[in-house]
Amino acid sequence: MQHPVTASWDSATYSASTKAISGTTAWNDYYGWAADETIILLFQSPVLFQMLPRHALTAEEADDLLTHLAQSGLRRL
C-alpha cells in the first residue's frame, strides 16, 4: 500500500480511507472473514479481500473488531 489507511468499524459497517479515497461497507455485504495472530481478512468474494495487519491495531482494537465480526452474522472462513 502506498498511503496510510485509517480504518473504523461499528456494529453495522467497516470503513477505510486514505487521502485519496474512502469507502464504507456493510458487514452483510462481505462474503466472509478470517483471522489469525498476524492478519485479519475481510473477503469481498472468494478471491478478493481486504487485509488488516494485526500489528497496525492495538490489542484492544483487534479484539473489538473481532467481536464486531463475530456478532455481525458474517461467516468465518
Side-chain angles (χ1 to χ4, degrees):
M1 298 184 68
Q2 297 177 0
H3 305 283
V5 175
T6 301
S8 62
W9 51 88
D10 60 28
S11 61
T13 62
Y14 172 79
S15 299
S17 63
T18 69
K19 288 183 181 182
I21 192 167
S22 66
T24 299
T25 304
W27 292 127
N28 62 0
D29 287 337
Y30 282 103
Y31 176 78
W33 66 281
D36 65 16
E37 64 278 348
T38 62
I39 199 154
I40 299 170
L41 301 174
L42 303 174
F43 286 84
Q44 297 167 321
S45 76
V47 296
L48 181 64
F49 53 87
Q50 294 166 272
M51 299 184 302
L52 287 92
R54 295 280 292 256
H55 71 267
L57 303 171
T58 65
E60 293 80 16
E61 289 171 331
D63 288 345
D64 185 58
L65 175 56
L66 293 173
T67 297
H68 278 89
L69 284 165
Q71 293 174 347
S72 72
L74 187 62
R75 68 178 150 171
R76 186 169 186 169
L77 304 172

